[in-house]
Amino acid sequence: MYLKKIELSGFKSFPRPSTLEFTTPITAIVGPNGSGKSNIAEAVRFVLGEQSIKSLRGKRGEDLIFNGTHAIPRQSKASVAVTFDNTKRIFDVDYDQVSLKRIMHRDSTSEYLINDSRMRLKDILETLSSAHIGASSHHIISQGEADRILLASLKERRGMIEDALGLKIYHYKKLESVRKLDKTEENLDQVEALKKEIEPHLAFLEKQVEKIKRAELLRKELADLCGVYLAQEESYLNQQKTHLTNKQEVPNKELQDIEKQISSLEATLKNAQTEPASEDILKIEQELQALRQKKDTVSRAFGRLEGVIEYERQKIKEVSEKSHTDENTSISVISIRKLQNDIVLYQKQADDEEDPFMLKVIIKKVQSAVNSFFTKYLTSTPANEQAVSLLQSTLKQKEEEKQNIEKELTGIQEKEQALHEEHIALRQKTELEHNKERESERTLFALQNKKTELISKIEVLKVKQEQLDTLEVNFKSFKEDARTLVGVEKIEIVLVPEGAEIESRQKQEERKWAIERIKIKIEEIGGGGSDVMEEYKEIQERNDFLKREIEDLRKSAESLNGLIKELEEKIDTLFKEGVRKINTRFQELFSLMFGGGKAVLNIIAPSQKRSKKNEAVEDLLSDEEFKEHMEQEEAEGIEIDVALPKKKVKGLQMLSGGERALTSIALIFAMTQVKPPPFLILDETDAALDETNSKKYGEMLKKLSGQTQLILITHNRETMTHAGVLYGITAVEGVSHLLSVKFDEAQELTGGV
Ligand code: ATP
């Protein structure tokens, strides 16, 4: 026994809490028309999650809530609870007892509880389907719906049979998978749309990044090239600076020396110029002039005196000649020697004398000496001796005078000589000094020339220095530019080792051009920097993420499709297998009811139904009807093929009401036997049966109750006899009352049918 009890409160005609307990395999609910029996069957469907208010005979949710009488006010909510025994774990929950409860409020909202815990409808349905129970299932056959399965469309019928076979759980799973698949596909569409949305931007960023990377490569190339260029340039500048410094050192030093020499020479020359003109020479010359004038006077006096002396001597000679006849006058050797010495002395003087006047004087002296000698030895007459003696005395006097003058003259001459010599010496000295000066001037001139030469040389070197400085300034600014453009750390400058060859300027120029060309290229590329890279990274990550999402979603869709296919296959297999089993039971029960005949369920494939006949019918249908018709046509359905024994007519439409009831009961029971549900509620399924068939029906119930708990709402006496417990329902002033009754009471209650 699985269904233990039903508790109603506020549901339809049951305003008060009412409980029906089920303790026997067959329980019958009996009572007069309108007492509320069917409300109990509906209460069970309600609590099992029925969503169709219409199928519960209402229009709105509040139609299910007790509406009130003048004695009892209307209820705010309807609640129904069913309790199952779960010791055999027919439900997939770990409780020995499972109680389901549904409460409906007047605003049509429902609450669902399992063992007093609030649940979603979905959870309730899943829990029920695991126990092969459902609100709209075949195991609650409502009043007048016994032949519903016969009237149902092929598709509905298939649903009923699937339900009976317990395939609903797979349908739920399939439905859930389909929903998941729909959601997955929806997500996939969204993600694909998002991906599509960012793709153009990503493509744009990719191009930008490509540009940036190209610029980076160019910058690398530029850095390398700049490194070599700068190294070469710096090495060249260093070398040139050293070279120039060395070159400048010598002329600068030389210039310094020359300048020193020049200033020293200039000082010397200035001094020489500032020295007074040779005053000494002038003085000597003046003295000489005075002396010469004096010499001239003295000479003239001497000449006159000589003339006088000559005259005297002539006179003496004349006088002497008159007295001197003796040719043998003896002449002392001393006198001769004296004469000789005088002449030698005068000769020496004449040798040294250049002045013609002085030479004349010397000649006169020689003549005088000779005359004196001869006068002495040739004048000796006594007559004349007096005259001669007088003359001689005069002569002597004159000669003494002459000697004095001569002495004076000699003194003058000596002084003149001395002055002359001094004059010459001074003149020579001055000359020497002039020569020296001229030499200094020549040297100064040469030095100045040399200085000019050096200055021009230094100027040339200075120009070179300036050029070098300009080069250095350019080098520094180039270096700065390069470092700004490619980054300081990226330029490696390895200087050319000392002594190693530095590349030619032309090569450097070419390199510089190459650098400029790269710079232009980088400028042309332009583009953003780190922000673009960051954005690209971000968008790329997003794109990758979306790609992964798409892959995951596709995989998930694939696996869901696989699962759906698997479930479909399982449903199909179980369905076919179940139909085969139902057919066996259906045939047995049909034969039992009708004493033979044929009853079979045929599975109809959609293609099989597309006949010409149907196509003709389709032309007559409205759009809506056509759609419904097509849905049915397209579904795989179940066709019931029956043939009564000994009757030629075939098909459901040819059956009488009782025959239809029996056929549907046979089918319901066959379905129940193949996959017995935990309980079966049959609401006046037996209403159309005659006594004979009621008996057969009763037999089948008995048999069936071995497999399934039965709750029968009935007016049928035969049926009542099989019930272990009978509940009687009475309605007093629109309110249903529940009571446990005995068989006789039950009969009475139902009016003894
Ligand atoms: P029968 O034997 O004729 O089939 P029954 O015993 O099955 O009758 P139900 O169909 O179960 O009777 O009960 C119908 C009764 O329930 C009606 O009298 C109806 O007025 C009453 N009823 C239905 N809904 C409500 C409601 N919301 N509030 C009060 N009474 C209601």
Side-chain angles (χ1 to χ4, degrees):
M1 233 69 64
Y2 295 111
L3 183 60
K4 291 176 87 176
K5 58 180 175 183
I6 302 172
E7 295 160 282
L8 305 92
S9 177
F11 186 80
K12 287 202 169 183
S13 55
F14 292 89
R16 308 271 179 233
S18 311
T19 305
L20 285 93
E21 291 193 355
F22 304 102
T23 49
T24 54
I26 302 174
T27 303
I29 299 167
V30 300
N33 290 131
S35 58
K37 301 183 296 294
S38 294
N39 287 346
I40 291 172
E42 278 164 359
V44 176
R45 284 176 51 208
F46 170 77
V47 75
L48 297 182
E50 180 59 81
Q51 295 301 299
S52 164
I53 303 294
K54 199 176 159 193
S55 73
L56 298 174
R57 293 183 295 165
K59 281 183 185 164
R60 298 175 299 271
E62 65 176 357
D63 291 341
L64 306 181
I65 304 167
F66 179 69
N67 209 22
T69 60
H70 41 263
I72 300 171
R74 67 177 198 160
Q75 301 292 297
S76 62
K77 60 184 179 185
S79 93
V80 179
V82 283
T83 304
F84 293 95
D85 175 21
N86 193 36
T87 46
K88 289 187 181 167
R89 296 290 183 268
I90 58 163
F91 293 99
D92 194 14
V93 287
D94 206 15
Y95 295 104
D96 286 346
Q97 192 166 289
V98 172
S99 173
L100 304 177
K101 190 174 183 179
R102 180 177 180 183
I103 303 164
M104 181 172 264
H105 300 274
R106 285 213 168 261
D107 62 358
S108 294
T109 54
S110 286
E111 290 174 59
Y112 298 92
L113 297 99
I114 296 180
N115 289 355
D116 293 328
S117 297
R118 205 179 268 264
M119 293 284 179
R120 294 174 301 171
L121 172 64
K122 183 175 169 282
D123 303 320
I124 299 278
L125 296 179
E126 267 182 29
T127 309
L128 286 170
S129 67
S130 71
H132 188 40
I133 300 170
S136 316
S137 258
H138 64 286
H139 55 93
I140 303 172
I141 308 295
S142 299
Q143 193 179 5
E145 284 194 337
D147 63 346
R148 189 160 65 95
I149 195 159
L150 304 185
L151 295 168
S153 69
L154 298 175
K155 191 182 165 190
E156 280 169 348
R157 202 177 287 140
R158 179 185 166 116
M160 288 173 184
I161 288 169
E162 277 181 344
D163 214 1
L165 289 171
L167 302 182
K168 207 161 194 172
I169 183 76
Y170 301 116
H171 274 291
Y172 274 127
K173 283 183 181 170
K174 184 187 157 189
L175 194 67
E176 204 180 329
S177 299
V178 170
R179 275 197 199 117
K180 276 186 189 167
L181 183 63
D182 288 348
K183 189 79 198 148
T184 305
E185 278 169 352
E186 199 181 300
N187 287 343
L188 188 63
D189 287 348
Q190 280 173 1
V191 175
E192 275 174 342
L194 282 176
K195 192 170 174 288
K196 244 183 206 150
E197 214 171 275
I198 63 166
E199 266 166 5
H201 190 48
L202 184 66
F204 167 76
L205 287 172
E206 257 165 7
K207 274 186 189 157
Q208 292 294 103
V209 166
E210 221 174 82
K211 274 186 180 180
I212 291 167
K213 282 185 179 163
R214 231 171 67 222
E216 259 172 26
L217 279 179
L218 283 170
R219 267 197 201 94
K220 169 85 184 69
E221 202 184 326
L222 185 67
D224 293 347
L225 214 53
C226 280
V228 180
Y229 177 81
L230 290 169
Q232 284 290 331
E233 200 66 7
E234 198 170 333
S235 303
Y236 171 76
L237 284 171
N238 288 344
Q239 197 198 55
Q240 286 299 306
K241 271 193 272 179
T242 315
H243 184 61
L244 203 60
T245 312
N246 290 342
K247 244 180 157 182
Q248 278 169 331
E249 208 174 309
V250 178
N252 279 335
K253 175 97 182 48
E254 267 183 50
L255 186 67
Q256 270 179 8
D257 290 349
I258 281 174
E259 275 172 345
K260 264 188 208 164
Q261 285 178 45
I262 286 173
S263 59
S264 148
L265 271 175
E266 278 172 348
T268 313
L269 283 169
K270 200 178 172 190
N271 286 341
Q273 277 162 8
T274 52
E275 226 172 62
S278 188
E279 284 172 12
D280 291 345
I281 292 176
L282 282 173
K283 203 176 154 194
I284 290 168
E285 279 173 354
Q286 280 169 359
E287 274 179 38
L288 264 174
Q289 205 180 356
L291 204 62
R292 276 172 189 155
Q293 279 173 355
K294 194 178 176 183
K295 194 176 91 177
D296 283 349
T297 312
V298 175
S299 292
R300 269 192 300 276
F302 184 75
R304 272 191 311 273
L305 201 56
E306 267 196 330
V308 172
I309 290 168
E310 192 55 39
Y311 173 74
E312 289 299 321
R313 275 180 189 158
Q314 201 57 43
K315 249 170 110 175
I316 292 165
K317 191 181 168 186
E318 282 170 10
V319 171
S320 296
E321 274 177 358
K322 284 170 191 167
S323 60
H324 271 288
T325 56
D326 190 7
E327 288 184 0
N328 295 322
T329 308
S330 65
I331 301 165
S332 72
V333 176
I334 292 167
S335 294
I336 295 168
R337 286 252 171 92
K338 190 183 171 285
L339 179 66
Q340 191 187 8
N341 284 343
D342 285 347
I343 290 168
V344 169
L345 179 71
Y346 292 135
Q347 191 188 344
K348 270 184 188 170
Q349 279 180 358
D351 285 344
D352 294 335
E353 187 56 69
E354 282 175 2
D355 191 354
F357 170 74
M358 291 307 290
L359 284 169
K360 260 176 160 180
V361 171
I362 293 164
I363 294 166
K364 291 274 183 197
K365 279 182 187 176
V366 174
Q367 282 174 341
S368 170
V370 172
N371 287 338
S372 298
F373 179 77
F374 285 111
T375 307
K376 190 179 173 183
Y377 291 104
L378 295 174
T379 318
S380 52
T381 61
N384 292 334
E385 271 186 17
Q386 209 176 351
V388 169
S389 171
L390 193 69
L391 283 168
Q392 278 181 334
S393 137
T394 309
L395 183 64
K396 196 177 173 185
Q397 191 195 340
K398 293 293 175 193
E399 275 181 344
E400 274 173 7
E401 258 179 64
K402 185 191 155 190
Q403 268 178 358
N404 287 337
I405 290 173
E406 201 172 25
K407 262 186 196 167
E408 191 186 356
L409 199 61
T410 307
I412 290 168
Q413 279 175 342
E414 278 172 0
K415 205 172 176 183
E416 188 194 3
Q417 182 65 30
L419 276 172
H420 180 67
E421 279 171 11
E422 198 181 345
H423 180 250
I424 287 169
L426 268 173
R427 289 275 299 268
Q428 276 176 346
K429 191 187 164 200
T430 310
E431 192 64 30
L432 203 68
E433 272 169 9
H434 276 157
N435 285 346
K436 254 190 188 169
E437 210 173 294
R438 276 196 294 280
E439 187 56 40
S440 292
E441 277 170 355
R442 267 199 300 279
T443 313
L444 182 63
F445 182 71
L447 283 173
Q448 273 165 345
N449 279 346
K450 180 80 180 164
K451 184 183 168 183
T452 314
E453 224 174 78
L454 280 172
I455 286 171
S456 92
K457 201 172 180 181
I458 288 168
E459 280 308 309
V460 170
L461 289 173
K462 265 188 189 162
V463 171
K464 279 193 180 170
Q465 180 67 55
E466 277 166 14
Q467 286 171 346
L468 208 58
D469 290 347
T470 312
L471 270 183
E472 192 155 25
V473 169
N474 292 344
F475 166 75
K476 277 181 185 161
S477 106
F478 183 89
K479 197 172 178 179
E480 271 318 299
D481 286 356
R483 283 186 165 167
T484 314
L485 198 63
V486 294
V488 183
E489 67 293 338
K490 286 183 185 151
I491 300 181
E492 197 190 353
I493 301 170
V494 182
L495 293 178
V496 178
E498 219 170 295
E501 202 183 329
I502 291 171
E503 285 175 358
S504 69
R505 300 305 293 157
Q506 195 197 332
K507 200 153 187 192
Q508 269 294 77
E509 270 308 300
E510 282 167 9
R511 194 170 279 134
K512 201 174 172 185
W513 277 114
I515 287 169
E516 288 308 320
R517 279 199 297 276
I518 295 172
K519 274 188 191 172
I520 290 167
K521 274 189 199 166
I522 291 172
E523 266 172 36
E524 275 172 0
I525 289 170
S530 57
D531 48 340
V532 173
M533 290 301 279
E534 258 169 45
E535 196 185 348
Y536 173 67
K537 205 177 149 213
E538 213 174 272
I539 298 287
Q540 199 185 34
E541 273 171 11
R542 175 127 184 83
N543 189 53
D544 289 349
F545 169 76
L546 292 175
K547 224 158 120 182
R548 282 198 301 277
E549 278 282 284
I550 288 170
E551 268 170 36
D552 289 351
L553 286 167
R554 278 186 185 150
K555 268 185 203 161
S556 159
E558 211 174 286
S559 85
L560 282 168
N561 271 319
L563 184 62
I564 290 165
K565 204 171 165 227
E566 228 172 73
L567 285 166
E568 279 171 347
E569 279 167 9
K570 190 164 190 171
I571 289 168
D572 190 57
T573 311
L574 291 174
F575 177 68
K576 281 174 181 158
E577 177 66 14
V579 168
R580 196 183 54 75
K581 283 180 183 167
I582 290 169
N583 271 337
T584 311
R585 296 286 176 197
F586 187 29
Q587 182 61 54
E588 276 173 20
L589 291 168
F590 190 82
S591 299
L592 185 74
M593 297 244 185
F594 293 100
K598 183 192 151 197
V600 66
L601 300 177
N602 292 320
I603 300 172
I604 306 297
S607 58
Q608 276 178 270
K609 295 296 293 174
R610 299 283 300 162
S611 62
K612 285 239 179 227
K613 186 182 143 202
N614 280 343
E615 279 170 24
V617 171
E618 282 159 14
D619 291 342
L620 303 170
L621 298 174
S622 69
D623 285 354
E624 207 137 295
E625 284 169 335
F626 180 74
K627 198 179 159 203
E628 201 181 329
H629 169 74
M630 282 311 285
E631 271 173 18
Q632 284 189 16
E633 292 299 292
E634 277 164 21
E636 200 175 43
I638 291 285
E639 196 179 55
I640 303 172
D641 189 10
V642 288
L644 292 175
K646 297 167 202 157
K647 284 191 180 175
K648 280 191 176 173
V649 286
K650 283 184 180 180
L652 291 173
Q653 65 277 14
M654 306 307 287
L655 299 175
S656 73
E659 285 167 345
R660 284 178 70 82
L662 279 176
T663 306
S664 65
I665 288 166
L667 182 53
I668 289 164
F669 285 11
M671 283 152 63
T672 309
Q673 280 181 342
V674 170
K675 178 90 178 169
F679 64 91
L680 183 63
I681 298 174
L682 298 169
D683 188 354
E684 295 188 41
T685 314
D686 50 7
L689 302 181
D690 60 17
E691 206 177 330
T692 318
N693 283 332
S694 291
K695 276 195 175 144
K696 284 180 187 171
Y697 177 71
E699 285 305 310
M700 277 194 285
L701 287 177
K702 214 173 159 187
K703 207 174 167 193
L704 204 61
S705 66
Q707 294 167 309
T708 299
Q709 187 181 358
L710 299 174
I711 295 147
L712 312 169
I713 296 166
T714 186
H715 292 283
N716 193 306
R717 188 181 164 274
E718 179 60 37
T719 305
M720 283 183 221
T721 56
H722 294 285
V725 171
L726 287 160
Y727 280 106
I729 299 190
T730 55
V732 182
E733 293 183 346
V735 173
S736 297
H737 292 273
L738 188 65
L739 55 149
S740 194
V741 291
K742 298 267 177 344
F743 179 68
D744 293 342
E745 291 166 336
Q747 263 198 313
E748 212 173 292
L749 212 58
T750 54
V753 179

